[in-house]
Amino acid sequence: MLSIQDLRHKKEEIISLLQKRNHDFTAVINQVTDLDVAIRKHKAQLDQILAESNQLAKQIGQLFSQAKQEEAELLKKKTVSLKEESRALSQDLEAKNNELKNLMVTIPNVPNQIVPAGNSDADNQIISENKGFISDLESKKPHWELAEQYQIIDFELGAKITGAGFPVYQGKGAKLQRALINFFLDRAAQEGYLEVLPPHMVNSASAFATGQLPDKDGQMYHVTEDELFLIPTAEVPVTNIFRDCIVKPSDLPLKRVAYSPCFRREAGSYGKHVRGLNRLHQFDKVEIVQVVHPSKSYQTLEQMVSYVCELLKELSLPYRVVRLCGGDLSFTSALTYDLEVYSSAQDRWLEVSSISNFEAYQSHRLKLRFKEDQASVFAHTLNGSALALPRILASILENYQTKEGIIIPDCLQSYTGFDKIN
RNA sequence: GGAGAGAUGGCAGAGUGGUCGAAUGCGGUAGUCUUGAAAACUAUUGUCCUUCACGGGACCGGGGGUUCGAAUCCCUCUCUCUCCGCCA
């Protein structure tokens, strides 16, 4: 959620930056600021009436204790009209506040100055492209064929047990998966992130605070019986650790890392681009989250990007860094970098990480603040995948294939206990 | 799942209808004393909204109600604890 203070004072600037999202928010924002003025006016009226009745109630109390019943009864009558007035006003105020909130949640975060204009991923800026290991086989097999050949991932078995998009990893496939998780968690710990193992379901308050609700509820699996949601990413439970918190400035930056399975309905996506591991309903991911001082958040974003790049270098995967354009930017983000690995048999770039600065957008919903010079300041939040497993696995399988089998990248061998899948 | 008890400020813990935003203790901050520290003493110490300001308003787990007036009474939801049942 944007700050209502910012909308009051920097309205024109906000409207113009929001143009980058290819949508004009002038009308909504005007509605918001008009409502805001009305709300403050009504609030002042209501406060005055409440002050009067508080005053009267005190007087009545004193009169009763002095046994002056008649005078008290007289004052009681005076309170009747005040009460009616305040009741009407507060109902009106509540309605207006709800209206305001409903409007506010439809306004996405304000894109940063450097976010390129554009509609789709075609307009994203490629920041850097980096070489990595690629198999020199003449004809390379896509990962789903390799997965079947070496019996490490069984898509059909998953389809039988659950449905499409829920693969079963077996043998060295399962071990490699566990190795990647451990590698990513250990590396993050070295970077100063505190490991957490969060719940895999969240309540609606949590889903709202990180921005999955109200706009993306169709993407989550919803357990209606208990009104819980399966997490689409560990970002949701981990960021909500800090919901309704006033942290010490000396605690910043707060750094957390979590492994979790991620559940996404991905309604309506079918076809060859979602084959194999490219898009799943359940997948594993290691996520990093930071809560930082507002003056540091862009510096932190750069650090997080270079940290995740480092992981890809250690895996020797070819990758590129992409700055998302306004049209591709997620609802809550101010600036996002995607990291994509090259998958040689498919000849495609696969998104394996999305690293975003949400500035104070999530903090406003989270009510996550710290004290600075007596004032409370909303902290900035950031997160990123470090990393999402299935496409990393796809890229490893395709890029590291040889006639003798799949070579395991050096940095993983101490985790897998084997150096080849054959 | 059944029965009972409870939820108060950073923590502990009073408060059962009227100057209670809340005693007291601990903790935090500032000061006095001290060469320095500790101890002691003094002061200060919740959050949010609104106002240029003075001030005003809201908040005692969440929501609703009774009352001129609610931390206190009633309803409801959530959570915690104890006992029983079930169970990895």
Side-chain angles (χ1 to χ4, degrees), chain A residues 114-310:
Chain A
I114 65 167
V115 169
N119 264 315
S120 68
D121 53 6
D123 301 310
N124 294 341
Q125 276 177 355
I126 295 166
I127 304 294
S128 69
E129 202 168 313
N130 306 267
K131 293 203 184 325
F133 185 82
I134 292 182
S135 158
D136 53 10
L137 285 179
E138 290 271 318
S139 73
K140 293 186 269 282
K141 293 180 184 169
H143 68 268
W144 51 87
E145 283 179 24
L146 295 164
E148 191 182 351
Q149 180 183 336
Y150 296 111
Q151 297 178 36
I152 52 174
I153 307 169
D154 196 327
F155 293 96
E156 284 172 25
L157 184 56
K160 179 181 85 173
I161 299 170
T162 306
F166 291 91
V168 176
Y169 302 85
Q170 302 193 118
K172 285 185 172 175
K175 275 206 162 169
L176 179 53
Q177 193 78 356
R178 191 149 54 85
L180 281 164
I181 293 167
N182 285 333
F183 171 62
F184 293 147
L185 285 174
D186 287 352
R187 285 292 283 107
Q190 285 168 21
E191 287 292 307
Y193 291 90
L194 178 73
E195 182 175 340
V196 288
L197 183 54
H200 297 162
M201 292 193 211
V202 293
N203 56 31
S204 48
S206 294
F208 175 80
T210 37
Q212 277 69 32
L213 292 179
D215 30 283
K216 277 185 252 163
D217 49 331
Q219 271 284 24
M220 289 187 290
Y221 287 98
H222 186 185
V223 183
T224 52
E225 182 89 8
D226 299 289
E227 198 45 34
L228 295 172
F229 298 87
L230 273 76
I231 56 172
T233 156
E235 164 197 349
V236 183
V238 174
T239 308
N240 272 280
I241 291 172
F242 306 109
R243 174 150 53 88
D244 294 320
C245 278
I246 299 175
V247 299
K248 286 192 232 137
S250 57
D251 290 341
L252 300 177
L254 290 156
K255 300 169 83 173
R256 298 291 183 270
V257 60
Y259 152 74
S260 87
C262 303
F263 303 91
R264 299 187 182 178
R265 294 186 60 232
E266 303 288 358
S269 39
Y270 298 97
K272 73 170 175 149
H273 284 308
V274 302
R275 239 183 125 174
L277 295 169
N278 289 346
R279 180 161 299 169
L280 300 170
H281 289 305
Q282 180 183 328
F283 64 95
D284 294 305
K285 181 158 65 67
V286 172
E287 182 82 2
I288 51 176
V289 171
Q290 289 210 40
V291 178
V292 303
H293 190 282
S295 65
K296 300 262 176 66
S297 65
Y298 280 95
Q299 189 189 330
T300 303
L301 182 64
E302 298 301 322
Q303 287 165 358
M304 288 169 77
V305 170
S306 55
Y307 164 63
V308 183
C309 287
E310 194 54 42

Side-chain angles (χ1 to χ4, degrees), chain A residues 301-355:
Chain A
L301 182 64
E302 298 301 322
Q303 287 165 358
M304 288 169 77
V305 170
S306 55
Y307 164 63
V308 183
C309 287
E310 194 54 42
L311 294 178
L312 294 171
K313 277 183 208 151
E314 286 170 44
L315 290 165
S316 299
L317 293 173
Y319 71 92
R320 63 183 191 185
V321 181
V322 170
R323 184 186 288 147
L324 295 193
C325 73
D328 223 16
L329 200 62
S330 76
F331 195 81
T332 50
S333 173
L335 179 61
T336 296
Y337 291 98
D338 273 6
L339 269 59
E340 301 177 338
V341 296
Y342 182 68
S343 215
S344 54
Q346 298 181 77
D347 187 26
R348 284 181 65 198
W349 291 94
L350 303 174
E351 181 193 332
V352 290
S353 179
S354 193
I355 307 167

Side-chain angles (χ1 to χ4, degrees), chain A residues 29 72 95 113 176 202 234 370 407:
Chain A
I29 290 177
Q113 288 284 359
L176 179 53
V202 293
F370 64 94
I407 299 166

Side-chain angles (χ1 to χ4, degrees), chain A residues 69-86:
Chain A
Q69 305 286 339
E70 287 139 47
E71 286 178 54
E73 289 302 327
L74 256 160
L75 283 185
K76 268 200 197 182
K77 279 177 194 154
K78 277 176 79 175
T79 63
V80 175
S81 64
L82 280 179
K83 206 175 170 181
E84 279 168 12
E85 258 184 279
S86 72

